Amino acid sequence: MTKVPNVFFICGNGLGSSLACQMEADDVFEEAGIAVNSGHDSISDAPSLNADVIVSASNFRSQFANTQIDPKTKLVYLDNIVDKNEIKEKVLPVVKKIAES
């Protein structure tokens, strides 16, 4: 059975960097032939998202520590949010695993 994972890209305000990361990641998912439901939002809205995976910049790690995220949600932090190689290395395996479950 194949699942279509809900992947959200999160930044401070849910506008600039989260959208840039989402666009790069969508390209990676498409190249890999993996269907995802992707979106972008702010840290303050992250707890209310029905996310399988949340992707954010490493500098937001401490803010997520103080946020009530569903324990089943996988958090992936990137040092460079627009680096497709880092997205392939860190995000793609997590999304693939969920898609194959």
Side-chain angles (χ1 to χ4, degrees):
M1 184 156 115
T2 303
K3 176 181 176 162
V4 178
N6 294 320
V7 182
F8 284 89
F9 300 86
I10 303 297
C11 68
N13 293 319
L15 300 171
S17 59
S18 59
L19 177 57
C21 186
Q22 177 186 357
M23 291 169 55
E24 296 298 322
D26 283 346
D27 288 347
V28 169
F29 300 143
E30 187 175 331
E31 287 171 17
I34 296 177
V36 302
N37 294 318
S38 67
H40 61 279
D41 218 318
S42 65
I43 286 182
S44 61
D45 288 331
S48 66
L49 299 173
N50 180 24
D52 295 302
V53 181
I54 287 178
V55 180
S56 191
S58 297
N59 59 307
F60 288 113
R61 185 185 299 264
S62 62
Q63 288 176 275
F64 275 101
N66 301 318
T67 306
Q68 298 295 323
I69 302 292
D70 185 327
K72 292 180 248 167
T73 301
K74 306 292 184 206
L75 295 171
V76 180
Y77 298 102
L78 301 174
D79 295 323
N80 181 345
I81 60 167
V82 293
D83 180 347
K84 284 187 180 174
N85 288 325
E86 187 175 8
I87 292 168
K88 286 177 188 174
E89 176 186 314
K90 294 181 177 177
V91 181
L92 192 56
V94 174
V95 172
K96 272 185 177 178
K97 186 174 182 179
I98 291 168
E100 293 167 357
S101 66

Coordinates of all heavy atoms in Angstrom, one line a residue:
M1 N 0.8 -1.2 0.0 CA 0.0 0.0 0.0 C 0.9 1.2 0.0 O 1.9 1.3 0.7 CB -0.9 0.0 1.2 CG -1.9 1.1 1.3 SD -3.3 0.7 2.3 CE -3.1 1.9 3.6
T2 N 0.5 2.2 -0.8 CA 1.3 3.5 -0.8 C 0.5 4.6 -0.2 O -0.7 4.8 -0.5 CB 1.6 3.8 -2.3 OG1 2.2 2.7 -2.9 CG2 2.4 5.1 -2.4
K3 N 1.2 5.4 0.6 CA 0.6 6.5 1.3 C 1.1 7.8 0.6 O 2.3 7.8 0.3 CB 0.9 6.5 2.8 CG 0.4 7.7 3.5 CD 0.7 7.6 5.0 CE 0.3 8.9 5.6 NZ 0.2 8.9 7.0
V4 N 0.3 8.8 0.6 CA 0.8 10.1 0.1 C 1.1 10.9 1.3 O 0.1 11.4 2.0 CB -0.2 10.8 -0.8 CG1 0.3 12.2 -1.3 CG2 -0.5 9.9 -2.0
P5 N 2.4 11.1 1.7 CA 2.7 11.8 2.9 C 2.3 13.3 2.9 O 2.4 14.0 1.8 CB 4.2 11.7 3.0 CG 4.6 10.6 2.1 CD 3.5 10.6 1.0
N6 N 2.0 13.9 4.0 CA 1.7 15.3 4.2 C 3.1 15.9 4.7 O 3.5 15.6 5.8 CB 0.6 15.6 5.2 CG -0.7 15.1 4.7 OD1 -1.0 15.3 3.5 ND2 -1.5 14.6 5.6
V7 N 3.7 16.7 3.9 CA 5.0 17.3 4.2 C 4.8 18.8 4.2 O 4.4 19.4 3.3 CB 6.1 16.9 3.1 CG1 7.4 17.5 3.5 CG2 6.1 15.4 2.9
F8 N 5.2 19.4 5.4 CA 5.1 20.8 5.6 C 6.5 21.4 5.8 O 7.3 20.9 6.5 CB 4.2 21.2 6.7 CG 2.7 21.0 6.4 CD1 2.1 19.8 6.6 CD2 2.0 22.1 5.9 CE1 0.7 19.6 6.3 CE2 0.6 21.9 5.6 CZ 0.0 20.7 5.8
F9 N 6.7 22.6 5.2 CA 7.9 23.3 5.3 C 7.6 24.5 6.1 O 6.7 25.3 5.9 CB 8.4 23.7 3.9 CG 8.6 22.5 3.0 CD1 7.6 21.9 2.3 CD2 9.8 21.9 3.0 CE1 7.8 20.7 1.6 CE2 10.0 20.7 2.3 CZ 9.0 20.1 1.6
I10 N 8.4 24.7 7.2 CA 8.1 25.6 8.3 C 9.2 26.7 8.4 O 10.4 26.3 8.5 CB 7.8 24.9 9.6 CG1 6.7 23.9 9.5 CG2 7.5 25.9 10.7 CD1 5.4 24.4 9.1
C11 N 8.8 27.9 8.5 CA 9.8 29.0 8.9 C 9.1 29.9 9.9 O 7.9 29.7 10.3 CB 10.3 29.7 7.7 SG 9.1 30.7 6.8
G12 N 9.7 31.0 10.2 CA 9.2 31.9 11.2 C 7.8 32.4 10.9 O 6.9 32.4 11.7
N13 N 7.6 32.9 9.7 CA 6.3 33.5 9.3 C 5.5 32.7 8.3 O 4.4 33.1 8.0 CB 6.5 34.9 8.8 CG 7.0 35.9 9.8 OD1 6.5 35.9 11.0 ND2 7.9 36.7 9.5
G14 N 6.1 31.6 7.8 CA 5.4 30.8 6.9 C 5.3 31.4 5.5 O 4.5 31.0 4.7
L15 N 6.2 32.3 5.1 CA 6.2 32.9 3.8 C 7.4 32.6 3.0 O 7.4 31.8 2.1 CB 6.0 34.4 4.0 CG 4.7 34.9 4.8 CD1 4.8 36.3 5.1 CD2 3.5 34.5 3.9
G16 N 8.5 33.3 3.2 CA 9.6 33.3 2.3 C 10.4 32.0 2.3 O 10.4 31.3 1.3
S17 N 11.2 31.7 3.3 CA 12.1 30.6 3.3 C 11.4 29.2 3.2 O 11.8 28.3 2.6 CB 13.1 30.6 4.4 OG 12.4 30.6 5.7
S18 N 10.2 29.1 3.9 CA 9.5 27.9 3.8 C 9.0 27.6 2.4 O 9.0 26.5 1.9 CB 8.3 27.9 4.8 OG 7.4 28.9 4.5
L19 N 8.5 28.6 1.7 CA 8.1 28.4 0.3 C 9.3 28.1 -0.6 O 9.2 27.2 -1.5 CB 7.4 29.7 -0.2 CG 7.0 29.7 -1.7 CD1 6.0 28.5 -2.0 CD2 6.3 31.0 -2.1
A20 N 10.4 28.7 -0.4 CA 11.6 28.4 -1.2 C 12.0 27.0 -1.0 O 12.3 26.2 -2.0 CB 12.7 29.4 -0.8
C21 N 12.0 26.5 0.2 CA 12.4 25.1 0.5 C 11.3 24.2 -0.1 O 11.7 23.1 -0.7 CB 12.4 24.9 2.0 SG 13.1 23.3 2.6
Q22 N 10.1 24.5 0.0 CA 9.0 23.6 -0.5 C 9.2 23.5 -2.0 O 9.1 22.4 -2.6 CB 7.6 24.2 -0.2 CG 6.5 23.4 -0.9 CD 5.1 24.1 -0.7 OE1 5.0 25.1 -0.1 NE2 4.1 23.5 -1.3
M23 N 9.5 24.6 -2.7 CA 9.7 24.5 -4.2 C 10.8 23.6 -4.6 O 10.7 22.8 -5.5 CB 9.9 25.9 -4.7 CG 8.6 26.7 -4.6 SD 8.8 28.5 -5.0 CE 9.5 28.5 -6.6
E24 N 12.0 23.7 -3.8 CA 13.1 22.9 -4.1 C 12.8 21.4 -3.8 O 13.1 20.5 -4.6 CB 14.3 23.3 -3.3 CG 14.8 24.7 -3.7 CD 15.3 24.8 -5.1 OE1 15.9 23.9 -5.7 OE2 15.0 25.9 -5.7
A25 N 12.1 21.2 -2.7 CA 11.8 19.8 -2.3 C 10.8 19.2 -3.3 O 10.9 18.0 -3.6 CB 11.3 19.8 -0.9
D26 N 9.8 19.9 -3.7 CA 8.9 19.4 -4.7 C 9.5 18.9 -5.9 O 9.2 17.9 -6.5 CB 7.8 20.5 -5.0 CG 6.7 20.6 -3.9 OD1 6.6 19.8 -3.0 OD2 6.0 21.6 -4.0
D27 N 10.6 19.6 -6.4 CA 11.4 19.2 -7.5 C 12.0 17.8 -7.2 O 12.1 16.9 -8.1 CB 12.4 20.2 -7.9 CG 11.9 21.5 -8.5 OD1 10.7 21.5 -8.9 OD2 12.6 22.5 -8.6
V28 N 12.6 17.7 -6.0 CA 13.3 16.5 -5.6 C 12.3 15.3 -5.6 O 12.6 14.2 -6.1 CB 14.0 16.6 -4.2 CG1 14.4 15.3 -3.7 CG2 15.1 17.6 -4.3
F29 N 11.1 15.6 -5.0 CA 10.1 14.5 -4.9 C 9.6 14.1 -6.3 O 9.5 12.9 -6.6 CB 8.9 15.0 -4.1 CG 9.2 15.3 -2.7 CD1 8.5 16.4 -2.1 CD2 10.1 14.6 -1.9 CE1 8.8 16.7 -0.8 CE2 10.4 15.0 -0.6 CZ 9.7 16.0 0.0
E30 N 9.5 15.1 -7.2 CA 9.0 14.8 -8.6 C 10.1 13.9 -9.3 O 9.7 12.9 -9.9 CB 8.7 16.0 -9.3 CG 8.1 15.8 -10.7 CD 7.7 17.1 -11.4 OE1 7.4 18.1 -10.7 OE2 7.7 17.1 -12.6
E31 N 11.3 14.3 -9.1 CA 12.4 13.6 -9.8 C 12.5 12.1 -9.3 O 12.8 11.2 -10.0 CB 13.8 14.2 -9.5 CG 14.0 15.5 -10.2 CD 15.3 16.2 -9.8 OE1 16.1 15.6 -9.1 OE2 15.4 17.5 -10.0
A32 N 12.1 11.9 -8.0 CA 12.2 10.6 -7.4 C 10.9 9.8 -7.6 O 10.8 8.6 -7.3 CB 12.4 10.7 -5.9
G33 N 9.9 10.5 -8.2 CA 8.6 9.8 -8.5 C 7.8 9.5 -7.3 O 7.0 8.6 -7.3
I34 N 7.9 10.4 -6.3 CA 7.1 10.3 -5.1 C 6.1 11.4 -5.0 O 6.4 12.5 -5.1 CB 8.0 10.3 -3.8 CG1 9.0 9.2 -3.9 CG2 7.2 10.3 -2.6 CD1 10.0 9.2 -2.7
A35 N 4.8 10.9 -4.8 CA 3.7 11.9 -4.6 C 3.7 12.3 -3.2 O 3.7 11.5 -2.3 CB 2.4 11.2 -5.1
V36 N 3.5 13.6 -3.0 CA 3.4 14.2 -1.6 C 2.3 15.3 -1.7 O 2.1 15.9 -2.7 CB 4.7 14.7 -1.0 CG1 5.8 13.7 -1.0 CG2 5.2 16.0 -1.8
N37 N 1.7 15.5 -0.5 CA 0.9 16.7 -0.3 C 1.8 17.7 0.4 O 2.2 17.4 1.6 CB -0.3 16.4 0.6 CG -1.3 15.5 -0.1 OD1 -1.5 15.6 -1.3 ND2 -1.8 14.5 0.6
S38 N 2.2 18.7 -0.2 CA 3.2 19.6 0.4 C 2.5 21.0 0.7 O 1.6 21.4 0.0 CB 4.5 19.8 -0.4 OG 4.2 20.4 -1.6
G39 N 3.0 21.7 1.7 CA 2.6 23.0 2.0 C 3.6 23.7 2.8 O 4.6 23.1 3.2
H40 N 3.4 25.0 3.1 CA 4.3 25.7 3.9 C 3.5 26.6 4.9 O 2.4 26.9 4.7 CB 5.3 26.6 3.1 CG 4.6 27.6 2.3 ND1 4.0 27.4 1.0 CD2 4.3 29.0 2.5 CE1 3.5 28.4 0.5 NE2 3.7 29.4 1.4
D41 N 4.1 26.8 6.1 CA 3.4 27.5 7.1 C 4.4 28.0 8.2 O 5.6 27.9 8.0 CB 2.4 26.5 7.8 CG 1.1 27.2 8.2 OD1 1.2 28.4 8.7 OD2 0.0 26.6 8.0
S42 N 3.9 28.7 9.2 CA 4.7 29.3 10.3 C 4.9 28.3 11.4 O 4.1 27.4 11.6 CB 4.1 30.5 10.7 OG 2.8 30.3 11.4
I43 N 5.9 28.6 12.3 CA 6.1 27.7 13.5 C 4.8 27.8 14.4 O 4.4 26.8 14.9 CB 7.3 28.2 14.2 CG1 8.6 27.7 13.4 CG2 7.4 27.6 15.6 CD1 9.9 28.1 14.1
S44 N 4.2 28.9 14.5 CA 3.1 29.0 15.4 C 1.9 28.2 14.9 O 1.1 27.7 15.8 CB 2.6 30.5 15.5 OG 2.2 31.0 14.3
D45 N 1.8 27.9 13.6 CA 0.7 27.1 13.1 C 1.1 25.6 13.0 O 0.2 24.7 12.8 CB 0.3 27.5 11.7 CG -0.5 28.8 11.8 OD1 -1.1 29.1 12.8 OD2 -0.4 29.6 10.8
A46 N 2.4 25.3 13.2 CA 2.8 23.9 13.1 C 2.1 22.9 13.9 O 1.8 21.8 13.5 CB 4.3 23.8 13.3
P47 N 1.8 23.2 15.2 CA 1.1 22.2 16.0 C -0.3 21.7 15.5 O -0.7 20.6 15.7 CB 0.9 22.8 17.4 CG 2.0 23.9 17.4 CD 2.1 24.3 16.0
S48 N -0.9 22.6 14.7 CA -2.3 22.3 14.2 C -2.3 21.6 12.9 O -3.3 21.2 12.4 CB -3.1 23.5 14.1 OG -2.6 24.4 13.2
L49 N -1.1 21.4 12.3 CA -1.0 20.8 11.0 C -1.1 19.2 11.1 O -0.6 18.6 12.0 CB 0.3 21.1 10.3 CG 0.6 22.6 10.1 CD1 2.0 22.8 9.6 CD2 -0.4 23.2 9.1
N50 N -1.7 18.6 10.1 CA -1.8 17.2 10.0 C -0.6 16.7 9.2 O -0.7 16.3 8.0 CB -3.1 16.8 9.4 CG -3.2 15.3 9.3 OD1 -2.6 14.5 10.0 ND2 -4.0 14.8 8.3
A51 N 0.6 16.8 9.8 CA 1.8 16.6 9.1 C 2.4 15.2 9.4 O 2.5 14.8 10.6 CB 2.8 17.7 9.4
D52 N 2.9 14.5 8.3 CA 3.7 13.3 8.5 C 5.1 13.8 8.7 O 5.9 13.1 9.5 CB 3.6 12.4 7.3 CG 2.2 11.9 7.2 OD1 1.7 11.2 8.1 OD2 1.6 12.1 6.1
V53 N 5.5 14.8 8.0 CA 6.9 15.3 8.1 C 6.9 16.8 8.1 O 6.1 17.5 7.4 CB 7.7 14.9 6.8 CG1 9.2 15.4 6.9 CG2 7.7 13.3 6.7
I54 N 7.7 17.4 9.0 CA 7.9 18.8 9.0 C 9.4 19.1 8.7 O 10.3 18.4 9.3 CB 7.5 19.4 10.4 CG1 6.0 19.5 10.6 CG2 8.1 20.8 10.6 CD1 5.5 20.0 11.9
V55 N 9.6 20.0 7.8 CA 11.0 20.3 7.4 C 11.2 21.8 7.7 O 10.4 22.6 7.4 CB 11.2 20.1 5.9 CG1 12.6 20.4 5.4 CG2 10.8 18.6 5.5
S56 N 12.3 22.1 8.4 CA 12.6 23.4 8.7 C 14.1 23.6 8.8 O 14.9 22.7 8.7 CB 12.0 23.7 10.1 OG 12.1 25.1 10.4
A57 N 14.5 24.9 8.8 CA 16.0 25.2 8.9 C 16.5 24.9 10.3 O 15.7 24.9 11.3 CB 16.2 26.7 8.7
S58 N 17.7 24.5 10.4 CA 18.3 24.1 11.7 C 18.2 25.1 12.7 O 18.1 24.8 13.9 CB 19.8 23.7 11.4 OG 19.9 22.6 10.6
N59 N 18.3 26.4 12.3 CA 18.2 27.5 13.3 C 16.9 27.6 14.1 O 16.7 28.3 15.0 CB 18.6 28.8 12.7 CG 17.7 29.2 11.6 OD1 17.5 28.5 10.6 ND2 17.2 30.4 11.7
F60 N 15.8 26.8 13.6 CA 14.5 26.8 14.3 C 14.4 25.6 15.2 O 13.4 25.5 15.9 CB 13.4 26.8 13.3 CG 13.2 28.1 12.5 CD1 13.5 28.1 11.2 CD2 12.8 29.2 13.2 CE1 13.3 29.3 10.5 CE2 12.6 30.4 12.5 CZ 12.9 30.5 11.1
R61 N 15.4 24.8 15.3 CA 15.4 23.6 16.2 C 15.0 23.9 17.6 O 14.1 23.3 18.2 CB 16.7 22.9 16.2 CG 16.7 21.6 16.9 CD 18.1 20.9 17.0 NE 18.6 20.6 15.7 CZ 18.5 19.4 15.1 NH1 17.9 18.4 15.7 NH2 19.1 19.2 13.9
S62 N 15.5 25.0 18.2 CA 15.2 25.3 19.6 C 13.8 25.8 19.8 O 13.1 25.5 20.8 CB 16.2 26.4 20.1 OG 16.0 27.6 19.4
Q63 N 13.2 26.4 18.7 CA 11.8 26.8 18.8 C 10.9 25.6 18.7 O 9.8 25.6 19.4 CB 11.5 27.8 17.7 CG 12.2 29.2 18.0 CD 11.9 30.2 16.9 OE1 12.7 30.2 15.9 NE2 10.9 31.0 17.0
F64 N 11.2 24.6 18.0 CA 10.4 23.4 17.9 C 10.4 22.7 19.2 O 9.5 22.0 19.6 CB 10.9 22.5 16.8 CG 10.2 22.9 15.4 CD1 11.0 23.6 14.5 CD2 8.9 22.6 15.1 CE1 10.4 24.0 13.3 CE2 8.3 22.9 13.9 CZ 9.1 23.6 13.0
A65 N 11.5 22.8 20.0 CA 11.6 22.1 21.3 C 10.5 22.6 22.2 O 10.1 21.9 23.1 CB 13.0 22.3 21.9
N66 N 10.1 23.8 22.0 CA 9.0 24.4 22.9 C 7.6 24.4 22.2 O 6.7 25.1 22.6 CB 9.4 25.9 23.2 CG 10.7 26.0 23.9 OD1 11.0 25.2 24.8 ND2 11.5 26.9 23.5
T67 N 7.5 23.6 21.2 CA 6.2 23.5 20.4 C 5.6 22.2 20.6 O 6.3 21.2 20.5 CB 6.5 23.8 18.9 OG1 7.2 25.1 18.8 CG2 5.2 23.9 18.1
Q68 N 4.3 22.1 20.7 CA 3.6 20.8 20.9 C 3.3 20.2 19.6 O 2.2 20.3 19.0 CB 2.3 21.0 21.7 CG 2.6 21.5 23.1 CD 3.3 20.5 24.0 OE1 3.1 19.3 23.9 NE2 4.2 21.0 24.8
I69 N 4.3 19.5 19.0 CA 4.1 18.8 17.7 C 3.7 17.3 18.0 O 4.3 16.7 18.9 CB 5.4 18.8 16.9 CG1 5.9 20.2 16.6 CG2 5.3 18.0 15.6 CD1 5.0 21.0 15.7
D70 N 2.8 16.8 17.2 CA 2.4 15.4 17.4 C 3.7 14.5 17.4 O 4.5 14.6 16.5 CB 1.5 15.0 16.2 CG 0.9 13.6 16.3 OD1 1.6 12.7 16.9 OD2 -0.2 13.4 15.9
P71 N 3.8 13.6 18.4 CA 5.0 12.8 18.4 C 5.2 11.9 17.2 O 6.4 11.5 17.0 CB 4.8 12.0 19.7 CG 3.7 12.5 20.4 CD 2.9 13.4 19.5
K72 N 4.2 11.6 16.5 CA 4.3 10.8 15.3 C 4.9 11.6 14.1 O 5.4 11.0 13.1 CB 3.0 10.2 14.9 CG 2.4 9.2 15.9 CD 1.1 8.6 15.4 CE 0.1 9.1 16.4 NZ -1.3 9.0 16.0
T73 N 4.9 12.9 14.2 CA 5.4 13.7 13.1 C 6.9 13.7 13.1 O 7.6 13.9 14.1 CB 4.9 15.2 13.3 OG1 3.5 15.2 13.2 CG2 5.5 16.1 12.1
K74 N 7.5 13.4 12.0 CA 9.0 13.4 11.8 C 9.5 14.8 11.5 O 8.9 15.5 10.7 CB 9.4 12.5 10.6 CG 8.9 11.1 10.7 CD 9.5 10.3 11.8 CE 9.0 8.9 11.8 NZ 9.0 8.2 13.1
L75 N 10.4 15.2 12.3 CA 11.0 16.6 12.1 C 12.4 16.4 11.4 O 13.2 15.6 11.9 CB 11.2 17.3 13.5 CG 10.0 17.6 14.2 CD1 10.3 18.1 15.6 CD2 9.2 18.7 13.5
V76 N 12.6 17.2 10.3 CA 13.8 17.1 9.6 C 14.4 18.6 9.5 O 13.6 19.5 9.1 CB 13.6 16.6 8.2 CG1 15.0 16.5 7.4 CG2 13.0 15.2 8.2
Y77 N 15.6 18.7 9.9 CA 16.2 20.1 9.9 C 17.3 20.1 8.9 O 18.1 19.2 8.7 CB 16.8 20.4 11.3 CG 15.8 20.4 12.4 CD1 15.6 19.4 13.3 CD2 15.0 21.5 12.5 CE1 14.7 19.4 14.3 CE2 14.0 21.5 13.5 CZ 13.9 20.5 14.4 OH 12.9 20.5 15.4
L78 N 17.3 21.2 8.1 CA 18.3 21.5 7.1 C 19.2 22.6 7.4 O 18.7 23.6 7.9 CB 17.6 21.7 5.8 CG 16.6 20.7 5.2 CD1 15.9 21.2 4.0 CD2 17.3 19.4 4.9
D79 N 20.5 22.5 7.1 CA 21.4 23.6 7.2 C 21.3 24.6 6.1 O 21.4 25.8 6.3 CB 22.9 23.0 7.3 CG 23.1 22.2 8.5 OD1 22.6 22.5 9.6 OD2 23.8 21.1 8.3
N80 N 21.0 24.1 4.9 CA 20.7 25.0 3.8 C 19.4 24.5 3.1 O 19.3 23.5 2.4 CB 21.9 24.8 2.8 CG 21.7 25.7 1.6 OD1 20.6 26.3 1.3 ND2 22.8 25.9 0.8
I81 N 18.4 25.3 3.3 CA 17.0 24.9 3.0 C 16.7 24.8 1.5 O 15.7 24.3 1.0 CB 15.9 25.8 3.6 CG1 16.1 27.2 3.2 CG2 16.0 25.6 5.1 CD1 15.0 28.1 3.5
V82 N 17.6 25.4 0.7 CA 17.4 25.3 -0.8 C 18.5 24.5 -1.5 O 18.6 24.5 -2.7 CB 17.4 26.7 -1.4 CG1 16.2 27.5 -1.0 CG2 18.7 27.5 -1.1
D83 N 19.2 23.6 -0.7 CA 20.2 22.7 -1.3 C 19.5 21.4 -1.6 O 19.2 20.6 -0.7 CB 21.3 22.5 -0.2 CG 22.4 21.6 -0.7 OD1 22.2 20.9 -1.8 OD2 23.5 21.6 -0.1
K84 N 19.3 21.1 -2.9 CA 18.6 19.9 -3.3 C 19.4 18.7 -2.8 O 18.8 17.7 -2.6 CB 18.5 19.9 -4.8 CG 17.3 20.8 -5.3 CD 17.0 20.7 -6.7 CE 15.9 21.6 -7.1 NZ 15.7 21.6 -8.6
N85 N 20.7 18.7 -2.8 CA 21.5 17.5 -2.3 C 21.2 17.2 -0.9 O 21.0 16.1 -0.5 CB 23.0 17.7 -2.6 CG 23.3 17.6 -4.0 OD1 22.7 16.8 -4.8 ND2 24.3 18.4 -4.5
E86 N 21.1 18.3 0.0 CA 20.8 18.1 1.4 C 19.3 17.6 1.5 O 19.0 16.7 2.4 CB 21.0 19.4 2.2 CG 20.8 19.1 3.7 CD 21.1 20.3 4.5 OE1 21.3 21.5 4.0 OE2 21.1 20.2 5.8
I87 N 18.4 18.1 0.7 CA 17.0 17.6 0.7 C 17.0 16.2 0.3 O 16.3 15.4 1.0 CB 16.2 18.5 -0.2 CG1 16.0 19.9 0.4 CG2 14.8 17.9 -0.4 CD1 15.4 21.0 -0.6
K88 N 17.7 15.8 -0.7 CA 17.8 14.4 -1.1 C 18.3 13.5 0.0 O 17.9 12.4 0.2 CB 18.6 14.2 -2.4 CG 18.0 14.7 -3.6 CD 18.9 14.6 -4.8 CE 18.3 15.3 -6.0 NZ 19.3 15.3 -7.2
E89 N 19.3 14.0 0.7 CA 20.0 13.2 1.7 C 19.2 13.1 3.0 O 19.1 12.0 3.6 CB 21.4 13.9 2.0 CG 22.1 13.2 3.1 CD 23.4 14.1 3.5 OE1 24.1 14.5 2.6 OE2 23.6 14.3 4.7
K90 N 18.5 14.2 3.4 CA 17.9 14.2 4.7 C 16.3 14.0 4.6 O 15.8 13.3 5.5 CB 18.2 15.5 5.5 CG 19.6 15.6 5.9 CD 19.9 16.9 6.6 CE 21.3 17.0 7.1 NZ 21.5 18.3 7.7
V91 N 15.7 14.6 3.7 CA 14.2 14.6 3.6 C 13.7 13.4 2.8 O 12.8 12.7 3.3 CB 13.7 15.9 3.0 CG1 12.2 15.9 3.0 CG2 14.2 17.1 3.8
L92 N 14.3 13.1 1.7 CA 13.8 12.1 0.8 C 13.7 10.7 1.4 O 12.6 10.1 1.3 CB 14.6 12.0 -0.5 CG 14.1 11.2 -1.6 CD1 12.7 11.7 -2.1 CD2 15.0 11.3 -2.8
P93 N 14.7 10.3 2.2 CA 14.5 8.9 2.8 C 13.4 8.8 3.8 O 12.7 7.8 3.9 CB 15.9 8.7 3.5 CG 16.8 9.6 2.9 CD 16.0 10.8 2.4
V94 N 13.1 9.9 4.5 CA 12.0 10.0 5.5 C 10.7 9.9 4.8 O 9.8 9.1 5.2 CB 12.1 11.2 6.4 CG1 10.9 11.4 7.3 CG2 13.4 11.2 7.2
V95 N 10.6 10.7 3.7 CA 9.3 10.7 3.0 C 9.1 9.4 2.3 O 8.0 8.8 2.3 CB 9.3 11.9 2.0 CG1 8.1 11.8 1.0 CG2 9.3 13.2 2.8
K96 N 10.1 8.8 1.7 CA 10.0 7.5 1.0 C 9.5 6.4 2.0 O 8.6 5.6 1.7 CB 11.4 7.0 0.5 CG 11.7 7.5 -0.9 CD 13.0 6.9 -1.4 CE 13.3 7.3 -2.8 NZ 14.6 6.7 -3.2
K97 N 10.1 6.4 3.2 CA 9.7 5.4 4.2 C 8.2 5.5 4.5 O 7.5 4.5 4.7 CB 10.6 5.6 5.5 CG 10.3 4.5 6.5 CD 11.3 4.6 7.6 CE 11.1 3.5 8.6 NZ 12.0 3.5 9.7
I98 N 7.7 6.7 4.7 CA 6.3 7.0 5.0 C 5.4 6.5 3.8 O 4.4 5.9 4.0 CB 6.1 8.4 5.4 CG1 6.7 8.7 6.8 CG2 4.6 8.7 5.5 CD1 6.8 10.1 7.2
A99 N 5.9 6.9 2.6 CA 5.1 6.6 1.4 C 5.0 5.1 1.2 O 4.0 4.6 0.7 CB 5.8 7.2 0.2
E100 N 6.0 4.3 1.6 CA 6.0 2.9 1.4 C 5.3 2.2 2.6 O 5.1 0.9 2.5 CB 7.4 2.4 1.3 CG 8.1 2.9 0.0 CD 9.6 2.7 0.0 OE1 10.1 2.2 1.0 OE2 10.2 3.0 -1.1
S101 N 4.9 2.9 3.6 CA 4.2 2.2 4.8 C 2.8 1.9 4.5 O 2.1 2.4 3.7 CB 4.4 3.0 6.0 OG 3.7 4.2 5.9

